[in-house]
């Protein structure tokens, strides 16, 4: 039987049209896809249905509530399809893919997020190829995870990050191998794909009101500025530190600000600013001082995965200490097992 895929169209450059102010989201994608995509059954192409969102957005506008809407829409249709493809803007695609992975844990069917750098309406575009490959993989390969397909690679969604604003190869997965490569053939890297779970255990939870912030350390940051950012009711902070997880711990007030916020229940997660590798807070005295102030090492999580994981765990109702324990442990392949 021809597999059937549900396409969720949320916005992004993929379906945008030129306007006086630049590219802007536009609807009516179903008709365009019907004339663009190869017919169902041809060369492995699946049949598909399209869900077009009423509020199509540039993904720069995406909020945690939007991640929840997409996860709930997939969960509601899960039994009816062999897989799902989410058409999304590239700017925050890695956040949405990460958020979906935490909501749809134990996934037994592919959910592939994709988009493009040039809209489908343009004569030269990457939209058609990206969607065709995403559909083929979702229909024919048992990849039980949230993937992000772009250009010629399927990446694990919660390991991906946008690395180029003007290249077709816009995403990379610095700390985990690609799940598949698409050339003349589609080659699945089975060793990199999550094992098929026994059962789904989705956690599609309404996002809470909590705020999660990101701060990238830089020479010249004052302790007063840090203290200001940490002011209540901040629930979580992703702190991007130097190298293996180091910060200016000798600066008066710096550790005090972190320790006070940790004591108030703010979960502070230490990630590296480096593009590859992760944090080991035990390696340097400047890192272990952060651990002493209650900062938890986030290993090799991406910023996108850390922000969405904090939102997910807090929205699930976990207490700060439980969130701190979960952050370094992989729930769905988002980070390496701690040493
Ligand atoms: N601004 C667009 C978006 O994220 C960029 C894109 O999709 N290529 O919606």
């Amino acid at each position: 039987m021809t597999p059937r895929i549900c396409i969720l169209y949320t916005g992004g450059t993929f379906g945008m049209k030129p306007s006086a102010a630049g590219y802007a989201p536009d609807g009516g994608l179903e008709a365009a896809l019907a004339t663009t995509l190869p017919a169902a059954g041809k060369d492995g192409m699946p049949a598909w249905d399209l869900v077009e969102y009423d509020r199509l957005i540039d993904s720069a506008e995406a909020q945690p509530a939007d991640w929840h809407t997409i996860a709930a829409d997939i969960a509601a249709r899960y039994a009816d399809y062999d897989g799902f493809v989410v058409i999304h803007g590239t700017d925050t695609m890695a956040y949405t893919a990460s958020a979906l992975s935490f909501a749809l844990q134990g996934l037994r069917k592919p959910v592939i997020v994709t988009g493009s750098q040039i809209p489908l309406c343009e004569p030269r575009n990457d939209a058609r190829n990206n969607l065709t490959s995403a559909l083929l993989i979702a229909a024919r390969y048992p990849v039980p995870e949230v993937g992000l397909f772009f250009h010629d690679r399927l990446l694990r969604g919660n390991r991906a990050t946008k690395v180029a604003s003007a290249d077709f190869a816009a995403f990379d997965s610095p700390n985990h191998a690609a799940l598949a490569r698409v050339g003349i053939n589609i080659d699945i890297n089975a060793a990199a794909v999550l094992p098929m779970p026994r059962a789904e255990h989705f956690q599609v939870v309404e996002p809470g009101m909590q705020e999660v912030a990101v701060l990238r350390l830089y020479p010249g940051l004052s302790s007063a500025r840090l203290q200001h950012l940490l002011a209540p009711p901040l629930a979580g902070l992703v702190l991007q530190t130097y190298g293996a997880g180091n910060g200016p711990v000798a600066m008066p007030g710096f550790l005090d600000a972190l320790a006070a916020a940790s004591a108030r229940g703010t979960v502070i997660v230490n990630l590296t600013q480096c593009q590859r590798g992760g944090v080991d807070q035990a390696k340097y005295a400047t890192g272990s001082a952060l651990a002493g102030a209650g900062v938890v090492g986030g290993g090799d999580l991406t910023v996108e995965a850390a922000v969405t994981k904090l939102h997910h765990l807090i929205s699930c109702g976990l207490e700060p200490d439980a969130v701190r324990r979960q952050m370094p442990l992989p729930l769905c392949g988002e980070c390496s097992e701690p040493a």
Side-chain angles (χ1 to χ4, degrees):
M1 235 181 56
T2 309
R4 194 159 202 95
I5 303 297
C6 180
I7 304 174
L8 298 138
Y9 171 42
T10 69
T13 294
F14 188 103
M16 286 190 184
K17 296 273 161 57
S19 79
Y23 284 129
D26 197 32
L29 191 64
E30 185 160 1
L33 292 187
T35 56
T36 309
L37 290 174
K42 195 166 185 294
D43 296 331
M45 276 300 283
W48 51 270
D49 295 313
L50 183 90
V51 177
E52 180 168 302
Y53 281 37
D54 293 336
R55 182 178 151 267
L56 295 167
I57 57 168
D58 186 304
S59 77
E61 310 276 8
Q63 299 293 340
D66 296 300
W67 311 333
H68 176 67
T69 301
I70 301 168
D73 285 342
I74 292 172
R77 294 167 175 80
Y78 188 73
D80 303 332
Y81 291 95
D82 298 292
F84 295 82
V85 170
V86 179
I87 298 177
H88 194 283
T90 58
D91 289 344
T92 62
M93 187 182 284
Y95 287 91
T96 297
S98 297
L100 291 178
S101 75
F102 297 120
L104 304 173
Q105 286 181 54
L107 198 60
R108 288 169 55 84
K109 300 174 181 182
V111 171
I112 301 182
V113 187
T114 193
S116 70
Q117 294 280 62
I118 301 181
L120 186 67
C121 67
E122 300 290 1
R124 193 175 72 88
N125 71 73
D126 55 333
R128 182 182 187 275
N129 274 349
N130 283 349
L131 180 61
T132 306
S133 297
L135 283 169
L136 283 172
I137 297 172
R140 288 171 45 187
Y141 298 91
V143 178
E145 350 190 344
V146 177
L148 185 155
F149 183 83
F150 223 84
H151 189 50
D152 60 355
R153 292 190 302 169
L154 180 71
L155 308 176
R156 176 168 296 160
N158 56 32
R159 293 287 199 150
T161 190
K162 187 172 177 182
V163 294
S165 62
D167 294 348
F168 285 148
F171 287 87
D172 198 8
S173 167
N175 287 324
H176 190 72
L179 307 183
R181 271 176 198 281
V182 174
I184 291 177
N185 301 310
I186 296 178
D187 292 319
I188 302 289
N189 179 6
V193 177
L194 286 176
M196 181 64 75
R198 249 190 297 235
E200 294 81 2
H201 47 102
F202 291 177
Q203 297 180 346
V204 182
V205 287
E206 290 270 355
M209 297 296 287
Q210 70 275 349
E211 196 180 337
V212 170
V214 179
L215 176 67
R216 185 179 168 96
L217 292 182
Y218 51 91
L221 169 73
S222 68
S223 295
R225 177 71 55 208
L226 175 67
Q227 209 176 357
H228 188 73
L229 180 69
L230 287 166
L234 189 68
L237 175 70
V238 174
L239 186 66
Q240 285 192 278
T241 61
Y242 307 121
N246 309 307
V249 297
M251 184 166 74
F254 182 80
L255 283 178
D256 293 342
L258 294 171
S262 297
R264 284 194 300 268
T266 306
V267 178
I268 306 171
V269 182
N270 187 351
L271 297 191
T272 179
Q273 299 182 6
C274 295
Q275 282 157 17
R276 266 192 316 284
V279 153
D280 175 1
Q281 292 196 132
K283 193 159 182 190
Y284 292 94
T286 43
S288 53
L290 293 174
V295 176
V296 54
D300 58 1
L301 285 169
T302 61
V303 169
E304 294 89 332
V307 167
T308 54
K309 188 171 178 176
L310 280 168
H311 270 292
H312 177 74
L313 295 174
I314 296 166
S315 297
C316 284
L318 268 64
E319 294 298 326
D321 273 338
V323 176
R324 289 187 184 108
R325 279 194 299 275
Q326 294 281 321
M327 284 308 291
L329 306 175
L331 300 178
C332 43
E334 73 278 14
C335 54
S336 304
E337 288 283 354

Short mmCIF file of all heavy atoms in Angstrom, two decimals, residues 2 27 31 51 98 124 139 145 147 154-155 165 181 185 201 207 243 265 269 273 301 309 315 317 322 331:
data_model
loop_
_atom_site.label_atom_id
_atom_site.label_comp_id
_atom_site.label_asym_id
_atom_site.label_seq_id
_atom_site.Cartn_x
_atom_site.Cartn_y
_atom_site.Cartn_z
N THR A 2 0.41 2.29 -0.68
CA THR A 2 1.17 3.55 -0.71
C THR A 2 1.10 4.19 0.68
O THR A 2 0.00 4.40 1.22
CB THR A 2 0.54 4.52 -1.73
OG1 THR A 2 0.39 3.83 -2.96
CG2 THR A 2 1.40 5.75 -1.93
N GLY A 27 -0.64 31.69 2.09
CA GLY A 27 -1.36 30.43 2.13
C GLY A 27 -1.57 29.84 0.74
O GLY A 27 -0.94 30.23 -0.24
N ALA A 31 -2.51 23.68 -3.45
CA ALA A 31 -2.59 23.70 -4.92
C ALA A 31 -1.19 23.73 -5.53
O ALA A 31 -0.92 23.03 -6.52
CB ALA A 31 -3.41 24.91 -5.37
N VAL A 51 -2.19 19.99 6.17
CA VAL A 51 -2.87 20.82 7.16
C VAL A 51 -2.19 22.18 7.10
O VAL A 51 -1.00 22.31 7.40
CB VAL A 51 -2.72 20.24 8.59
CG1 VAL A 51 -3.35 21.15 9.62
CG2 VAL A 51 -3.30 18.84 8.67
N SER A 98 13.52 20.49 18.35
CA SER A 98 13.89 20.03 19.71
C SER A 98 12.65 19.91 20.58
O SER A 98 12.47 18.90 21.27
CB SER A 98 14.87 21.01 20.35
OG SER A 98 16.08 21.07 19.63
N ARG A 124 14.18 29.35 -9.12
CA ARG A 124 15.31 28.61 -8.54
C ARG A 124 15.06 28.52 -7.04
O ARG A 124 15.00 29.54 -6.36
CB ARG A 124 16.61 29.37 -8.81
CG ARG A 124 17.88 28.61 -8.56
CD ARG A 124 19.07 29.46 -8.98
NE ARG A 124 19.29 30.56 -8.05
CZ ARG A 124 20.04 30.48 -6.95
NH1 ARG A 124 20.66 29.36 -6.66
NH2 ARG A 124 20.19 31.53 -6.16
N ALA A 139 8.25 8.37 4.42
CA ALA A 139 7.39 7.29 3.94
C ALA A 139 8.09 5.94 3.91
O ALA A 139 7.46 4.90 4.08
CB ALA A 139 6.89 7.63 2.54
N GLU A 145 12.19 9.05 15.05
CA GLU A 145 12.62 10.24 15.78
C GLU A 145 12.10 11.50 15.09
O GLU A 145 11.63 11.44 13.96
CB GLU A 145 14.12 10.44 15.84
CG GLU A 145 15.09 9.44 15.45
CD GLU A 145 16.50 9.90 15.87
OE1 GLU A 145 16.71 11.08 16.20
OE2 GLU A 145 17.37 9.03 15.86
N GLY A 147 13.31 14.32 13.07
CA GLY A 147 14.47 14.67 12.27
C GLY A 147 14.30 16.06 11.69
O GLY A 147 13.21 16.65 11.70
N LEU A 154 19.61 14.36 6.68
CA LEU A 154 18.64 14.28 7.77
C LEU A 154 19.42 14.31 9.06
O LEU A 154 20.28 13.45 9.29
CB LEU A 154 17.83 12.97 7.67
CG LEU A 154 16.78 12.80 8.78
CD1 LEU A 154 15.61 13.79 8.60
CD2 LEU A 154 16.26 11.37 8.82
N LEU A 155 19.15 15.31 9.90
CA LEU A 155 19.83 15.46 11.18
C LEU A 155 18.86 15.13 12.30
O LEU A 155 17.63 15.26 12.12
CB LEU A 155 20.33 16.90 11.34
CG LEU A 155 21.17 17.45 10.17
CD1 LEU A 155 21.50 18.93 10.42
CD2 LEU A 155 22.45 16.63 9.99
N SER A 165 23.07 31.65 6.99
CA SER A 165 21.86 32.39 6.63
C SER A 165 21.64 32.43 5.12
O SER A 165 20.53 32.73 4.67
CB SER A 165 21.94 33.82 7.17
OG SER A 165 23.03 34.49 6.58
N ARG A 181 22.00 10.58 4.55
CA ARG A 181 22.52 11.46 3.51
C ARG A 181 21.77 11.18 2.23
O ARG A 181 21.53 10.02 1.89
CB ARG A 181 24.01 11.15 3.25
CG ARG A 181 24.90 11.91 4.11
CD ARG A 181 26.36 11.55 3.94
NE ARG A 181 27.06 12.05 5.11
CZ ARG A 181 27.41 13.31 5.27
NH1 ARG A 181 27.19 14.19 4.31
NH2 ARG A 181 28.00 13.72 6.37
N ASN A 185 21.54 8.15 -4.05
CA ASN A 185 20.82 7.21 -3.17
C ASN A 185 20.49 7.90 -1.85
O ASN A 185 21.10 8.91 -1.51
CB ASN A 185 21.70 5.99 -2.88
CG ASN A 185 22.08 5.28 -4.16
OD1 ASN A 185 21.22 4.99 -4.99
ND2 ASN A 185 23.37 5.03 -4.33
N HIS A 201 5.53 7.31 24.49
CA HIS A 201 5.15 7.91 25.80
C HIS A 201 5.19 9.43 25.65
O HIS A 201 6.04 10.12 26.23
CB HIS A 201 6.00 7.38 26.95
CG HIS A 201 7.48 7.37 26.69
ND1 HIS A 201 8.32 8.33 27.20
CD2 HIS A 201 8.26 6.54 25.97
CE1 HIS A 201 9.56 8.07 26.80
NE2 HIS A 201 9.55 7.00 26.05
N PRO A 207 2.38 24.61 27.56
CA PRO A 207 3.51 25.35 28.11
C PRO A 207 3.07 26.22 29.28
O PRO A 207 1.99 26.83 29.23
CB PRO A 207 4.00 26.20 26.93
CG PRO A 207 2.92 26.17 25.92
CD PRO A 207 2.01 25.02 26.21
N GLY A 243 34.85 27.76 26.49
CA GLY A 243 35.55 26.47 26.43
C GLY A 243 34.80 25.33 27.07
O GLY A 243 33.64 25.05 26.74
N GLY A 265 15.64 28.89 43.10
CA GLY A 265 14.97 27.90 42.25
C GLY A 265 15.17 28.10 40.77
O GLY A 265 14.60 27.37 39.95
N VAL A 269 21.91 26.36 33.51
CA VAL A 269 22.55 25.28 32.77
C VAL A 269 23.76 25.83 32.04
O VAL A 269 23.66 26.82 31.31
CB VAL A 269 21.58 24.64 31.76
CG1 VAL A 269 22.24 23.48 31.03
CG2 VAL A 269 20.32 24.17 32.45
N GLN A 273 30.27 27.93 24.56
CA GLN A 273 30.11 28.79 23.39
C GLN A 273 30.76 28.17 22.16
O GLN A 273 30.55 28.64 21.04
CB GLN A 273 30.79 30.14 23.63
CG GLN A 273 30.21 30.90 24.79
CD GLN A 273 30.86 32.26 24.97
OE1 GLN A 273 31.68 32.70 24.16
NE2 GLN A 273 30.48 32.95 26.02
N LEU A 301 24.68 19.54 24.88
CA LEU A 301 23.39 20.05 24.39
C LEU A 301 23.61 21.29 23.52
O LEU A 301 24.49 22.10 23.79
CB LEU A 301 22.51 20.50 25.57
CG LEU A 301 21.82 19.46 26.43
CD1 LEU A 301 21.25 20.13 27.68
CD2 LEU A 301 20.71 18.75 25.66
N LYS A 309 14.24 22.01 26.35
CA LYS A 309 14.18 20.98 27.40
C LYS A 309 13.81 21.62 28.74
O LYS A 309 13.00 21.07 29.50
CB LYS A 309 15.54 20.27 27.49
CG LYS A 309 15.57 19.06 28.40
CD LYS A 309 16.88 18.31 28.24
CE LYS A 309 16.96 17.10 29.18
NZ LYS A 309 18.20 16.31 28.96
N SER A 315 7.34 22.79 32.35
CA SER A 315 5.91 22.69 32.03
C SER A 315 5.32 21.36 32.52
O SER A 315 4.12 21.28 32.79
CB SER A 315 5.67 22.82 30.52
OG SER A 315 6.08 24.09 30.07
N GLY A 317 5.92 20.17 35.28
CA GLY A 317 5.69 20.34 36.71
C GLY A 317 6.83 19.86 37.58
O GLY A 317 6.67 19.74 38.80
N ALA A 322 14.71 18.43 40.40
CA ALA A 322 14.44 17.34 39.44
C ALA A 322 14.82 17.78 38.03
O ALA A 322 15.37 17.00 37.24
CB ALA A 322 12.96 16.96 39.50
N LEU A 331 17.12 12.29 27.18
CA LEU A 331 15.74 11.77 27.20
C LEU A 331 15.39 11.17 25.85
O LEU A 331 14.65 10.20 25.76
CB LEU A 331 14.75 12.90 27.50
CG LEU A 331 14.89 13.64 28.82
CD1 LEU A 331 13.86 14.75 28.93
CD2 LEU A 331 14.74 12.65 29.97
#
